[in-house]
Amino acid sequence: MFKVFSLISLLLAFFLASPAFAETNSFISVVNPVRGGDFWEQQEKPEYALEGQIEILKKYDLDVTWLLRFDALSNKKIIDDLNSVSGEKGLFLEVTPSWATGADVNYQQGASWHSAKSAFLTGYEVRDREKLIDASFEKFKQVFRYYPKSVGAWWIDAYSMNYMQKKYAIEAALIVADQYSTDNYQIWGQYFSTPYYPSKKHLLHPAQTKENKLSVVTMQWAPRDPVNGYGNGVFNSTFSLQVNDYKDFHALDINYFEKLLDIYSKQKFNQFSHLVVGLENSYDWGKYAKEYEDQIKALSVRQRNGQISLVTMSEFAILYKQKFPDFSPEHIIIADDPLGSAKKVVWFMNPFYRAGWFVNEDGSVFRDIRQYVEG
């Protein structure tokens, strides 16, 4: 039985103790998903935003991770552009009609292209998932002459992750951070905006045994504001590091982004921190180009002053595996409200439970207590 008193004692001990490590290792991975022509809605071609991103990244001399969807692998201009820059290339596992056709799988048509049953591998029978995965990895190898080490999608199931790890030796995977109802699907309960080793039985559960461990470092897209980003609607989950979230839904700017960077990268009680920052090429580049460059500039400044290290997805995964060869470490996030209110939060995670302790002018409350139960 979960003992709340023990948890409170542990959290208080964190507040009162001296940091266990003299220096925090803070990492940022810039990850840009790249979609091709399937369901394209912008006036400009798919490579337009990509070329703008490349120009900015060259200006600040940053290596990033590009995750390409199956249809983007057939776009010669996109491939030529990406071959002109350094950085990591991986796969973006968002199912579309061209990918389904290429894998000889029936596409699951939904109400919209991003319906869970259409876009996620979980919308397909196990054998069809394998066929989709094999087709994408072989297409990637045909284009780049090697298999990718990093993959991403807003959701990847444990079976598919295990299949890719065993057959293609992937190192890193990206899924979306906690969201209760955004895009009409719910992903809820993993380490809060923090990487971890998942269980083979449930991707949102951190592994507790070596037998059930997926040796793939699983990181999160659109890390949430620890204070405001927890809740049961779009309003909450759009308090994140993603530019279209904080800009469109909350009229916030680069100052908010930098406050979130500092919250995560200046935690005193952890052995590391890691965040994913990036922008999909399917958004209106003219609308977001300046904010994207401001983000990249903010990251470049922090790297120069030693606050963070910029790494690709697979680079971080290798570092994580070297530091934590067995299981994910416990992790704590202590944060004041970046919007300036009196609210505070403490998030605590380990392979057995996570807890969110929220404080405001009316008192304190555990808004989130989630046990990770094997099986």
Side-chain angles (χ1 to χ4, degrees):
M1 182 177 176
F2 186 87
K3 296 182 179 179
V4 174
F5 177 78
S6 298
L7 177 58
I8 294 173
S9 299
L10 179 60
L11 292 173
L12 290 174
F14 269 110
F15 276 121
L16 298 174
S18 299
F21 292 84
E23 182 179 343
T24 298
N25 294 313
S26 297
F27 301 93
I28 306 285
S29 296
V30 178
V31 182
N32 295 316
V34 182
R35 295 183 170 100
D38 284 1
F39 303 114
W40 192 255
E41 297 174 349
Q42 299 299 328
Q43 184 175 355
E44 296 85 3
K45 294 181 179 180
E47 60 267 23
Y48 180 74
L50 179 76
E51 290 167 352
Q53 290 173 318
I54 289 173
E55 182 179 353
I56 290 168
L57 294 165
K58 283 183 175 179
K59 178 179 176 181
Y60 292 95
D61 192 26
L62 301 186
D63 282 348
V64 307
T65 299
W66 307 91
L67 297 181
L68 288 86
R69 202 168 66 177
F70 187 90
D71 54 339
L73 291 169
S74 299
N75 185 313
K76 185 177 184 303
K77 187 68 171 67
I78 285 177
I79 301 305
D80 289 345
D81 287 339
L82 291 182
N83 281 331
S84 72
V85 294
S86 59
E88 179 184 22
K89 285 87 173 175
L91 277 169
F92 192 51
L93 303 173
E94 187 175 76
V95 185
T96 68
S98 64
W99 184 11
T101 299
D104 194 24
V105 167
N106 290 324
Y107 178 70
Q108 297 295 319
Q109 185 69 49
S112 67
W113 67 266
H114 53 76
S115 294
K117 77 169 188 177
S118 302
F120 296 162
L121 289 167
T122 42
Y124 300 81
E125 296 295 333
V126 165
R127 178 59 189 137
D128 284 345
R129 292 181 215 175
E130 294 177 357
K131 291 168 69 175
L132 286 162
I133 290 167
D134 290 342
S136 63
F137 273 79
E138 293 305 328
K139 179 70 171 178
F140 186 99
K141 187 177 182 181
Q142 178 186 341
V143 172
F144 293 112
R145 310 302 181 198
Y146 60 88
Y147 289 129
K149 293 298 182 184
S150 297
V151 300
W154 298 163
W155 176 245
I156 304 172
D157 61 286
Y159 181 88
S160 297
M161 192 92 82
N162 192 39
Y163 182 81
M164 289 184 283
Q165 199 279 323
K166 284 185 174 181
K167 186 167 184 177
Y168 298 104
I170 62 170
E171 299 276 5
L174 179 73
I175 61 172
V176 77
D178 264 14
Q179 57 181 44
Y180 195 87
S181 61
T182 310
D183 299 320
N184 296 314
Y185 52 82
Q186 180 181 97
I187 296 171
W188 193 255
Q190 68 267 51
Y191 267 34
F192 192 85
S193 296
T194 300
Y196 61 98
Y197 290 123
S199 165
K200 291 178 182 177
K201 294 184 177 181
H202 191 331
L203 199 84
L204 295 179
H205 284 199
Q208 298 174 359
T209 66
K210 290 184 178 180
E211 293 75 22
N212 286 332
K213 173 188 171 186
L214 265 170
S215 190
V216 178
V217 180
T218 301
M219 49 200 73
Q220 299 181 41
W221 178 257
R224 309 303 182 194
D225 177 334
V227 178
N228 304 291
Y230 178 88
N232 64 356
V234 174
F235 179 80
N236 299 100
S237 64
T238 48
F239 282 108
S240 86
L241 279 160
Q242 192 174 354
V243 55
N244 54 296
D245 280 350
Y246 67 75
K247 183 180 174 69
D248 291 355
F249 287 90
H250 307 291
L252 295 167
D253 58 19
I254 192 64
N255 295 311
Y256 175 74
F257 173 86
E258 294 194 73
K259 287 177 182 177
L260 292 183
L261 280 184
D262 290 341
I263 283 174
Y264 279 97
S265 63
K266 293 183 177 181
Q267 294 294 320
K268 297 187 296 181
F269 299 108
N270 300 315
Q271 300 182 57
F272 78 99
S273 70
H274 176 268
L275 292 171
V276 170
V277 174
L279 181 66
E280 301 137 90
N281 69 320
S282 52
Y283 282 106
D284 182 348
W285 179 242
K287 182 178 181 180
Y288 298 112
K290 181 182 183 304
E291 191 74 14
Y292 182 84
E293 179 165 6
D294 287 345
Q295 289 185 349
I296 298 302
K297 181 179 179 181
L299 296 176
S300 179
V301 169
R302 282 163 174 75
Q303 177 164 254
R304 288 199 305 270
N305 68 26
Q307 181 177 332
I308 63 169
S309 296
L310 289 164
V311 293
T312 65
M313 284 177 62
S314 63
E315 286 173 342
F316 175 75
I318 291 168
L319 291 169
Y320 188 94
K321 290 182 176 184
Q322 291 172 346
K323 182 70 175 177
F324 312 111
D326 296 323
F327 303 107
S328 299
E330 62 188 24
H331 205 86
I332 189 165
I333 301 167
I334 303 170
D336 294 329
D337 185 1
L339 300 179
S341 80
K343 293 186 291 186
K344 302 176 184 295
V345 72
V346 178
W347 282 100
F348 179 83
M349 295 83 73
N350 71 17
F352 301 95
Y353 65 88
R354 81 169 192 183
W357 187 24
F358 288 74
V359 181
N360 59 33
E361 59 275 4
D362 297 321
S364 63
V365 63
F366 282 100
R367 291 182 61 195
D368 184 280
I369 296 178
R370 181 178 183 89
Q371 287 181 272
Y372 301 123
V373 180
E374 280 283 348

